[in-house]
Amino acid sequence: MRSVSLLRTAAAAAVAALFLSSAEAFVPRTATTTSLYATTIQNVRVVDPLRHGSSMMKMNVHTPTVIEMEMSSSKEEGALTDYESLTTKMHGRRTKVFKLMGKCAAMLSVMMLAAASAPQSAVAAKKSVEVATEHLHVGQKIANYFRSFGLPDVGILALISALPVVELRGAVPVGVWMGLPIATVLPVCVLGNMVPILLLLPLLRMEWVKKLMDPILKRAEKKSQSLGVGSLEKQWISLAAFVGIPLPGTGAWTGAMGAFLLNMPTTVALSSIFTGVCMAGVIMSAITLAGRTGGIAALAALFFVFISEFTKSSTKQDFLEAEPYWDQSNVPVNVYKNKSPFVGKVVSTKRIVGPKATGETCHIIIDHEGDFPYWEGQSWGVIPPGNREKDGKPHSVRLYSIASSRYGDDMSGKTGSLCVRRATYWCPELQAEDPAKKGVCSNFLCDTKPGDEVMMTGPAGKVMLMPEEDPKTNYIMVATGTGIAPYRGFIRRLFVEDTPAANAYKGEAWLFLGVANSDALLYDDEWQSVLESNSDQFRLDYALSREQTNKKGGKMYIQDKVEEYADEIFSKLDSGAHIYFCGLKGMMPGIQDMLKEVCASKGIEFDEWLKGLKKNKQWHVEVY
């Protein structure tokens, strides 16, 4: 009996180590080495929830063990050296996140084992299992059904945890009900839950599977809308939490479909889902062993680790600043040209508009490895692959405003983002889209997948830069559609990032966005978040042409919305505010006609007024 008890103890310790290493071991690597962090437990008494025997096993607490593993790589030796240095110093934000998730899982594993440290814990566990199983009729019935065929309980448990109706969260209490020790139940349920996910993610990329599961995917899209836009790091964390916290509508199956809809790389999605499944397993084990109190304690421990780690590791973003930060004398311009373009790699491409939007708009994150610096308000040139049909020459460069700050969505300074609307042509004769007349570059970008290469030039332009020398400067930003791109970089720099510019800013930023309807709104979740936390410095107004009416009863276009605040806007411009316009060139005639009317009503000569704004560099226009 002593040996059996020791074996169970060793198995439980192995589970704890499994959770700790999960976040690092499953992270996709391209370098030659990777690190596995092992943490063990000191003087933990493990109790089988179905019996009162216990055993003692002494080990070291939080002893980091770094194991170097040789892995193949196709990168050049110089890049490998850089990455090895980065891994050794542990400066990568994503590495910190993965390590953090491992710590969370390890802490919860220790807590789960400690919850069974006294005989009364076993009694409580038995009672909690009885309560839990009252609500697990489906799992119990399935277990009894398979038992009638003489299948082993371990195999039955793995099958139950693989089912989307039950999953791990329902299988853990059933496993204990079946009489299996928790040290067996937990790893079996984790592996059982993950096996169908390994098959589901690649299957979803098949068109016939996607059509077959379309109703389910639509429901999954609604449930997974909060998983984040842009930063792959944020998506990874959100997905792990979505899978890991056992609430209705969440879980590995829904998480996998959400990862597919987010277009996350398969290996990254799997590592995130695996970490979430491990966390869900620990939380459910705590609930099973210690009832509701155990579940609350598990969630509290998880929350504590997240807060403490992020507080400890938070650092200012200032490594890409000029000296002083507002000095524009060394703004990079046209570093890469048509004949020698930079080759970036797509990190993610995601549709960011609703189903009723007039067209498809995508947010595309591109990795430039820190070799393609830019400033907020600049543009990237993109050269689509292939040649023109009319003369066989390579396609020309298309300019796209950069939709991120210089630090990128992941704050690493190694990525940049584009906001691109897919250009299509509706043929009235065919009563269908004519593929021969579609936008070559926009369709190329919207169709990209993680890892695809993009030939880029630039960065281009200085007309849309922010004058940051006076931190009290007011910014009025007017956009239609994807013209929102440069303002996303502005707003992130002023209100989201921990930069010298953000810390110094004391002015007001006012954003006007014109689109057709609510489904066509771009980055609304980000604007609402900034508005909530900076209501005294950020203002937001939308012009929805198909949902709102102007003061004359007609459609609400961007110029109509700006006109509603004409007096206030003119006053701000007289006080030195800067006004920006970005979007389709068709927006400017309506804007200028409106401004002329306002000037006439105020007795101001429009041409002289506009000339003065341009002379003072307060007027910024970038239309296409």
Side-chain angles (χ1 to χ4, degrees):
M1 295 300 293
R2 175 69 173 169
S3 61
V4 173
S5 183
L6 284 172
L7 284 173
R8 286 175 173 166
T9 304
V15 172
L18 166 69
F19 293 145
L20 179 61
S21 63
S22 65
E24 282 286 327
F26 281 77
V27 175
R29 301 280 187 170
T30 52
T32 55
T33 62
T34 186
S35 298
L36 300 179
Y37 291 84
T39 297
T40 53
I41 310 148
Q42 185 176 34
N43 294 333
V44 173
R45 186 182 300 274
V46 180
V47 179
D48 190 324
L50 301 178
R51 52 190 291 273
H52 292 288
S54 63
S55 61
M56 182 74 74
M57 193 172 196
K58 187 173 182 180
M59 294 167 277
N60 295 324
V61 176
H62 294 294
T63 304
T65 305
V66 181
I67 307 170
E68 296 297 331
M69 299 178 63
E70 295 299 324
M71 299 182 70
S72 60
S73 172
S74 60
K75 287 198 171 184
E76 297 179 1
E77 186 175 350
L80 296 177
T81 303
D82 292 341
Y83 189 87
E84 288 168 357
S85 174
L86 179 65
T87 303
T88 303
K89 295 180 180 179
M90 296 300 293
H91 282 173
R93 281 181 68 88
R94 189 180 300 171
T95 304
K96 289 181 180 178
V97 172
F98 294 150
K99 185 179 178 183
L100 164 63
M101 303 303 277
K103 285 185 177 181
C104 295
M107 173 176 282
L108 296 177
S109 299
V110 173
M111 186 202 66
M112 178 201 72
L113 296 175
S117 61
Q120 57 266 33
S121 297
V123 175
K126 184 177 180 181
K127 289 182 178 179
S128 64
V129 170
E130 290 173 357
V131 173
T133 52
E134 288 178 4
H135 304 285
L136 291 174
H137 304 296
V138 174
Q140 285 180 293
K141 288 179 180 179
I142 295 172
N144 286 331
Y145 175 77
F146 283 120
R147 272 178 163 175
S148 67
F149 292 96
L151 296 176
D153 284 354
V154 171
I156 293 172
L157 185 61
L159 286 172
I160 292 173
S161 60
L163 297 175
V165 178
V166 184
E167 290 202 54
L168 173 141
R169 58 198 64 194
V172 169
V174 171
V176 176
W177 168 78
M178 293 170 73
L180 296 172
I182 197 68
T184 300
V185 170
L186 199 46
V188 169
C189 288
V190 168
L191 294 175
N193 205 175
M194 283 302 301
V195 167
I197 306 305
L198 292 170
L199 301 173
L200 179 62
L201 282 173
L203 282 174
L204 284 173
R205 301 190 182 280
M206 299 181 182
E207 200 62 37
W208 67 272
V209 175
K210 193 166 27 174
K211 289 181 180 179
L212 185 67
M213 296 186 65
D214 185 60
I216 301 174
L217 286 172
K218 286 181 179 177
R219 288 198 296 271
E221 185 174 19
K222 291 181 181 179
K223 293 178 181 178
S224 59
Q225 283 179 345
S226 61
L227 294 184
V229 175
S231 170
L232 194 61
E233 178 181 292
K234 287 183 180 178
Q235 291 179 6
W236 194 97
I237 297 172
S238 300
L239 180 59
F242 180 85
V243 174
I245 300 176
L247 294 173
T250 64
W253 281 80
T254 307
M257 287 183 272
F260 165 74
L261 294 168
L262 285 171
N263 206 16
M264 289 179 69
T266 301
T267 51
V268 176
L270 284 174
S271 71
S272 178
I273 293 170
F274 179 77
T275 301
V277 167
C278 290
M279 289 182 176
V282 173
I283 293 172
M284 287 308 302
S285 297
I287 294 173
T288 303
L289 293 173
R292 185 178 299 175
T293 303
I296 293 173
L299 288 171
L302 178 63
F303 178 79
F304 172 77
V305 173
F306 263 94
I307 294 299
S308 61
E309 285 291 328
F310 275 109
T311 302
K312 182 175 68 176
S313 61
S314 62
T315 56
K316 290 188 176 182
Q317 298 293 317
D318 58 6
F319 55 90
L320 295 178
E321 301 297 321
E323 185 58 46
Y325 72 89
W326 43 261
D327 181 20
Q328 297 182 358
S329 58
N330 292 310
V331 174
V333 177
N334 294 327
V335 177
Y336 293 94
K337 300 179 173 61
N338 297 19
K339 293 183 178 179
S340 56
F342 179 84
V343 179
K345 285 194 175 181
V346 173
V347 174
S348 65
T349 300
K350 186 179 186 300
R351 178 187 171 105
I352 56 172
V353 291
K356 296 180 181 179
T358 53
E360 180 182 15
T361 302
C362 295
H363 182 80
I364 303 157
I365 302 177
I366 300 175
D367 183 3
H368 59 76
E369 299 182 344
D371 296 328
F372 202 163
Y374 59 88
W375 281 34
E376 299 77 16
Q378 291 191 293
S379 299
W380 271 341
V382 176
I383 305 175
N387 299 316
R388 297 182 300 204
E389 291 185 4
K390 62 179 182 181
D391 55 14
K393 293 182 179 180
H395 289 293
S396 57
V397 174
R398 274 75 162 179
L399 289 177
Y400 293 93
S401 297
I402 301 172
S404 57
S405 77
R406 67 192 71 182
Y407 294 99
D409 283 5
D410 60 359
M411 303 298 289
S412 68
K414 296 182 179 181
T415 66
S417 304
L418 298 179
C419 180
V420 180
R421 174 171 172 167
R422 187 189 296 273
T424 58
Y425 174 76
W426 179 265
C427 179
E429 294 180 1
L430 297 174
Q431 287 297 298
E433 291 182 358
D434 186 350
K437 297 181 180 180
K438 68 180 182 181
V440 174
C441 196
S442 66
N443 279 267
F444 159 69
L445 287 170
C446 290
D447 288 336
T448 54
K449 300 291 187 295
D452 287 353
E453 294 186 343
V454 180
M455 291 191 296
M456 304 158 63
T457 65
K462 287 186 175 183
V463 69
M464 296 291 282
L465 297 179
M466 290 191 296
E468 297 179 319
E469 186 170 359
D470 181 0
K472 293 189 284 296
T473 299
N474 293 322
Y475 300 108
I476 302 167
M477 301 164 284
V478 183
T480 57
T482 56
I484 197 72
Y487 308 143
R488 183 172 183 265
F490 290 6
I491 293 167
R492 288 177 66 87
R493 180 165 176 80
L494 294 175
F495 301 115
V496 178
E497 301 171 352
D498 188 8
T499 61
N503 294 331
Y505 189 59
K506 299 295 185 293
E508 181 184 78
W510 193 350
L511 175 63
F512 291 87
L513 172 61
V515 292
N517 55 38
S518 299
D519 268 20
L521 287 172
L522 301 172
Y523 308 112
D524 178 62
D525 55 337
E526 297 186 23
W527 311 142
Q528 299 301 333
S529 177
V530 172
L531 189 62
E532 182 178 351
S533 57
N534 299 274
S535 58
D536 57 334
Q537 288 186 280
F538 180 63
R539 294 174 67 175
L540 176 66
D541 280 283
Y542 289 144
L544 307 177
S545 61
R546 299 188 183 183
E547 296 180 6
Q548 299 173 340
T549 55
N550 59 28
K551 64 181 181 181
K552 298 177 182 178
K555 291 184 177 181
M556 177 70 78
Y557 291 111
I558 190 67
Q559 62 268 23
D560 301 315
K561 180 58 67 174
V562 173
E563 186 179 9
E564 290 182 0
Y565 302 94
D567 290 342
E568 193 173 355
I569 289 173
F570 269 65
S571 176
K572 286 181 177 293
L573 290 172
D574 289 343
S575 300
H578 285 244
I579 190 165
Y580 294 79
F581 301 94
C582 189
L584 294 173
K585 63 177 64 176
M587 71 183 282
M588 289 312 294
I591 290 283
Q592 291 189 322
D593 289 344
M594 178 273 295
L595 292 174
K596 286 179 182 178
E597 291 180 9
V598 174
C599 282
S601 68
K602 293 178 176 294
I604 300 172
E605 207 286 310
F606 172 75
D607 291 334
E608 288 298 318
W609 175 79
L610 181 58
K611 184 178 178 181
L613 291 178
K614 290 180 178 180
K615 181 180 179 181
N616 295 330
K617 299 181 179 179
Q618 295 173 253
W619 181 268
H620 309 261
V621 179
E622 185 173 84
V623 293
Y624 40 86

